[in-house]
Amino acid sequence: MLHSTAPAPDTEFASHPPNFTAPNPTRETLLRAYRLMRTADEMARLYEENKAVTAKYVHATARGHEAIQLAAAFHLLPTDYAAPYYRDDAMLLGIGITPYELMLQLMAKRDDPFSGGRTYYCHPSLSRAGFPTIPHQSSATGMQAIPATGMAHGIKYLEGQRVQGSAADYSSSTTDAAPVVLCSIGDGAMTEGEVSEALQMAVLHQLPIIYLVQDNDWGISATGREMRAMDAYEFASGFKGLHRLRVDGADFSASYSVMSEAFAYVRRTRGPVLVHAKCPLLGHHTSGVRREWYRGDNLAQHTPQDPLPRLHQQLLLRSFTKRELEQAATEAAALVRADYERALLAPSPDPATFADHEFAPQAVTEEAGERTPAGADKVLMVDAALHAVDDILREFPEALFYGQDVGGELGGVFREAALLAKKYGDARVFNTPIQEAYIVGSTAGMSAVGAKAIVEIQFADYIWPALNQLVEELSKSCYLSNGQFPVQALIRVPIGAYGGGGPYHSGSIESTLLTIRGIKVVYPSNAADMKGLLRAAFLDPNPVVLLEHKGLYWSKVPGTEDAKTIEPAAGYVLPLGKAAIAQAAAAEQLRRGNTCVVVTYGMGVHWAKTASRQFPGQVEVLDLRTLNPLDFDAVQAAVVRHSKVLVLTEEPLMNSFAESLAGRIQRTCFQQLDAPVFTLGAANLPAIALNVDLERQMLPNPTKVAAALQELLEY
């Protein structure tokens, strides 16, 4: 066993004291490990013997990895958090999950405790008293590292705040129960860029997390030599402040001692550890990629390292009798067989529940608070957002705000977080590295431990590195955990073109976001709505992306004066999913049938209002405000009132949300329409040019909107 410590950023995080001795497993622990190792072996054997049934859905087993997984599991406490990966069924047995429960997931049964039959074997989501908490993680390789690090980040923050009832509010007066996050990962996944982002933040903030790297030299059919220039232990040496340990992951006693050391280090120092465990791969990569297709003689090379016979021999040398071990093996086999027969008979999910848990129930369902308090001044949209965040940070100690350049002196490139860091401290409002994936993905971990993150992507054009996390970890969590782990996250994204921002600071991305199920997308057009919707987005228990048009922030663009409004009082809130009539048509024009409605949002509201001055009283402007959930009832009601519709967007029109909405209106409101549904958007080009004249040519504007309105009204 080799271990060393990388230089730490502070002496407080030095290695364990010289007199530290990692404990050896007790006789009781050894027998428990042997029984569970036998159980895992019997499960793998049974799955192979009955593959016509068990391989209906893809699964992997722990064969070869059982020793290190059980060693890790035996050190997890109910106060801890874990992010296992798909080969960790022995780890789950080690924390007390039964073979029956695992088999319910294997066969996608109704009573699968993790997902209700919605996700793969060994993809746990567990919120159960007396067990470590296991939030949802996806199958995407290496993606669990960021949410797991976000858990540790949230715990560290809450410990500093001592928020009552949070993950960090453990009752022990010592560090014995201080929460630890265990992130289990394969060595091949360590090459993912997002893993590096996680490690960077773990050492930068000295977070209480153990990265357990199980290295079996394979990534499906690719060998370690093909995938990496160094293993995870060597790679981790580049992260200053990351304590590193190596262990023979097929030796239970050695693994137990090293995991004891790792957990003790993190509980005491609150800093990160990486454990590199070498393991044989004795089973298939998964049931769908069988070992005989590609491994050749390699399996014979791995078999002598099988942890089960090694532990068997060690126990005989420790004076365990053959009879004791045979009895443990017999009991394990009987349990596995009995649980399998029970699982076969267990009911399947009710198909009627297929759509349950897309979202957790919405927190805000009615408008509340004062929208136009007496004596209040008008406020710019950017300041309304700033004040809303300020109110939240003052009211909710579990809230924090982070992203690129939002902390420190600057307070955001648009000054949308001005002075918040000075007011609330660097632990609550802080800058991150240029790591969009971490900014977004960490919110899943924050949410799981009780922290409530407001984060910012600096420009919409830079959100793409975060899509892995947004899609795989945030959007699917509530649905695939059967409602156990909705992700509360508010993701602020400045968006839109504004006077020569060029190709990387002007883009509109709402249509891409709206193809992601399980997230909400909000797009205010004025200061009052910004303040009310931002608060509702924060209070919502689901992931919310708040799109904030840069051209509306200061009302400097001609025609956007109405974006500046009377400032609502603190606590004002608007429910998500409710459209508003930003401008009504005149009753007389409506009676004569001379009207139309513009369905739009964001900058489109102001283009439409400006253009409508050429058609007094003839144009209603419906501001959607929230794009998902969409207030289609309000859209239908507007269509019935006017029978002529223009859907207006700033995005390139082809294959956009606007075209989709127009198609839906055409389909559902066909009999009420007196004209085809008109659409107007930006030119179908890959980027917005830097030159302002080229930008103007590409985008909609009031003149273009007026031309469309005239054609529509005259149709």
Side-chain angles (χ1 to χ4, degrees):
M1 179 180 68
L2 303 173
H3 45 83
S4 65
T5 306
D10 192 289
T11 54
E12 178 186 353
F13 299 113
S15 186
H16 51 69
N19 61 354
F20 178 88
T21 301
N24 291 316
T26 64
R27 183 181 178 87
E28 181 183 20
T29 298
L30 287 168
L31 186 57
R32 181 182 172 213
Y34 183 77
R35 183 178 292 109
L36 291 174
M37 210 176 285
R38 280 288 188 187
T39 302
D41 178 61
E42 290 292 342
M43 288 166 62
R45 190 191 324 278
L46 181 142
Y47 294 170
E48 184 64 14
E49 291 172 354
N50 296 274
K51 58 179 178 287
V53 174
T54 61
K56 179 179 180 180
Y57 306 110
V58 175
H59 69 269
T61 69
R63 283 298 287 122
H65 293 234
E66 301 96 328
I68 187 64
Q69 290 182 21
L70 291 170
F74 289 178
H75 289 90
L76 284 167
L77 301 177
T79 50
D80 292 332
Y81 291 76
Y85 85 128
Y86 55 79
R87 198 174 300 286
D88 284 350
D89 58 3
M91 184 182 294
L92 297 177
L93 292 172
I95 67 170
I97 303 299
T98 65
Y100 175 67
E101 291 176 306
L102 291 172
M103 291 171 188
L104 289 175
Q105 189 174 46
L106 175 78
M107 301 178 198
K109 297 290 189 173
R110 181 193 68 190
D111 298 327
D112 153 29
F114 309 132
S115 74
R118 296 181 175 198
T119 197
Y120 296 121
Y121 178 75
C122 208
H123 285 61
S125 299
L126 188 68
S127 179
R128 182 186 292 178
F131 286 75
T133 300
I134 306 178
H136 165 265
Q137 288 93 46
S138 75
S139 276
T141 305
M143 296 303 98
Q144 73 270 35
I146 285 179
T149 307
M151 292 183 228
H153 204 158
I155 289 169
K156 189 74 172 272
Y157 167 71
L158 293 170
E159 285 177 344
Q161 299 292 310
R162 273 292 178 262
V163 176
Q164 187 174 9
S166 70
D169 186 34
Y170 47 88
S171 58
S172 174
S173 60
T174 71
T175 62
D176 293 346
V180 168
V181 178
L182 176 68
C183 176
S184 177
I185 193 168
D187 190 85
M190 294 295 292
T191 61
E192 287 276 7
E194 293 183 20
V195 176
S196 294
E197 293 191 19
L199 296 178
Q200 180 71 240
M201 291 299 282
V203 297
L204 183 64
H205 291 273
Q206 284 296 296
L207 302 179
I209 185 167
I210 298 169
Y211 300 98
L212 172 58
V213 183
Q214 299 176 55
D215 182 0
N216 60 30
D217 273 329
W218 285 96
I220 308 185
S221 67
T223 65
R225 291 190 305 277
E226 296 174 87
M227 295 187 296
R228 66 194 186 206
M230 64 197 80
D231 66 25
Y233 182 83
E234 296 161 331
F235 176 68
S237 67
F239 292 89
K240 183 179 179 181
L242 180 60
H243 186 58
R244 297 181 298 147
L245 301 168
R246 267 199 201 274
V247 69
D248 176 357
D251 184 318
F252 175 76
S253 294
S255 296
Y256 186 89
S257 294
V258 164
M259 294 311 299
S260 294
E261 182 176 349
F263 274 88
Y265 178 90
V266 178
R267 293 199 200 282
R268 182 177 55 80
T269 70
R270 314 309 286 143
V273 171
L274 182 139
V275 177
H276 178 260
K278 197 73 174 178
C279 306
L281 179 60
L282 302 179
H284 307 291
H285 168 74
T286 67
S287 60
V289 185
R290 300 184 64 78
R291 62 194 182 198
E292 58 266 23
W293 295 346
Y294 62 93
R295 289 191 66 182
D297 295 333
N298 179 262
L299 184 61
Q301 298 169 21
H302 279 223
T303 299
Q305 297 303 312
D306 188 337
L308 180 54
R310 289 178 67 181
L311 181 58
H312 185 95
Q313 288 302 120
Q314 290 170 4
L315 295 189
L316 291 176
L317 294 173
R318 291 280 296 266
S319 74
F320 284 84
T321 66
K322 287 184 179 180
R323 183 174 180 180
E324 283 180 284
L325 301 185
E326 287 171 358
Q327 182 178 351
T330 300
E331 291 172 353
L335 174 65
V336 168
R337 175 57 62 180
D339 281 3
Y340 177 69
E341 296 299 334
R342 286 176 62 206
L344 285 173
L345 299 175
S348 293
D350 180 354
T353 65
F354 81 102
D356 292 356
H357 306 299
E358 178 190 5
F359 291 116
Q362 190 159 311
V364 176
T365 57
E366 299 291 339
E367 183 176 5
E370 293 184 84
R371 184 177 175 93
T372 54
D377 295 327
K378 281 194 170 185
V379 65
L380 294 170
M381 192 161 152
V382 69
D383 290 334
L386 169 65
H387 299 163
V389 175
D390 190 1
D391 291 343
I392 288 166
L393 292 173
R394 182 173 60 251
E395 188 175 345
F396 298 94
E398 65 272 30
L400 64 166
F401 180 36
Y402 55 94
Q404 294 166 29
D405 298 305
V406 302
E409 295 291 328
L410 184 61
V413 295
F414 303 105
R415 303 292 288 157
E416 72 283 4
L419 303 178
L420 290 180
K422 287 191 172 183
K423 187 171 185 178
Y424 294 103
D426 292 338
R428 295 194 74 188
V429 181
F430 57 88
N431 292 326
T432 65
I434 304 172
Q435 295 185 173
E436 288 83 4
Y438 185 86
I439 291 168
V440 170
S442 61
T443 64
M446 292 275 184
S447 178
V449 303
K452 297 179 180 179
I454 305 170
V455 300
E456 182 174 307
I457 299 296
Q458 198 165 81
F459 291 92
D461 307 79
Y462 300 140
I463 200 172
W464 310 118
L467 283 200
N468 258 349
Q469 293 292 325
L470 185 62
V471 173
E472 302 295 350
E473 309 305 327
L474 274 70
S475 74
K476 294 178 171 62
S477 183
C478 186
Y479 184 74
L480 290 182
S481 69
N482 218 20
Q484 294 181 85
F485 289 99
V487 174
Q488 180 169 23
L490 170 52
I491 303 164
R492 297 181 63 187
V493 185
I495 192 172
Y498 172 43
Y504 301 107
H505 299 80
S506 306
S508 292
I509 62 167
E510 57 265 31
S511 289
T512 298
L513 294 176
L514 290 166
T515 64
I516 305 169
R517 317 305 171 199
I519 66 170
K520 298 186 177 184
V521 180
V522 179
Y523 204 144
S525 67
N526 61 71
D529 285 355
M530 169 69 86
K531 193 166 187 180
L533 291 170
L534 192 153
R535 185 177 179 88
F538 171 79
L539 294 172
D540 201 280
N542 303 287
V544 181
V545 179
L546 180 65
L547 301 176
E548 307 174 13
H549 199 292
K550 305 186 300 293
L552 301 179
Y553 267 159
W554 299 283
S555 290
K556 291 181 179 179
V557 177
T560 63
E561 297 80 7
D562 286 352
K564 186 177 180 180
T565 69
I566 295 293
E567 180 167 14
Y572 173 69
V573 66
L574 271 175
L576 307 185
K578 297 292 184 183
I581 298 174
Q583 174 179 286
E588 180 61 21
Q589 294 284 13
L590 186 63
R591 187 185 65 78
R592 292 178 179 179
N594 293 337
T595 61
C596 68
V597 60
V598 181
V599 179
T600 188
Y601 53 92
M603 184 63 81
V605 172
H606 303 278
W607 288 332
K609 291 172 76 171
T610 301
S612 71
R613 293 170 189 162
Q614 299 182 36
F615 313 96
Q618 291 184 269
V619 180
E620 176 180 312
V621 180
L622 183 68
D623 183 356
L624 294 175
R625 302 198 292 196
T626 301
L627 308 186
N628 187 35
L630 175 67
D631 189 356
F632 195 68
D633 287 344
V635 174
Q636 286 182 299
V639 173
V640 170
R641 280 194 297 275
H642 303 285
S643 301
K644 294 181 179 180
V645 185
L646 167 65
V647 181
L648 174 62
T649 180
E650 185 172 324
E651 284 193 294
L653 196 57
M654 186 182 294
N655 302 323
S656 65
F657 162 71
E659 280 199 335
S660 172
L661 179 57
R664 186 174 174 189
I665 293 170
Q666 201 106 310
R667 170 67 181 85
T668 59
C669 305
F670 182 77
Q671 293 183 338
Q672 287 78 39
L673 290 170
D674 290 339
V677 178
F678 280 33
T679 56
L680 180 63
N684 296 311
L685 295 170
I688 294 177
L690 179 64
N691 180 275
V692 291
D693 293 325
L694 295 177
E695 176 191 272
R696 190 177 300 114
Q697 188 69 22
M698 177 182 178
L699 293 175
N701 58 41
T703 301
K704 294 177 184 179
V705 175
L709 288 175
Q710 182 166 352
E711 182 183 359
L712 179 61
L713 288 166
E714 292 176 352
Y715 193 91

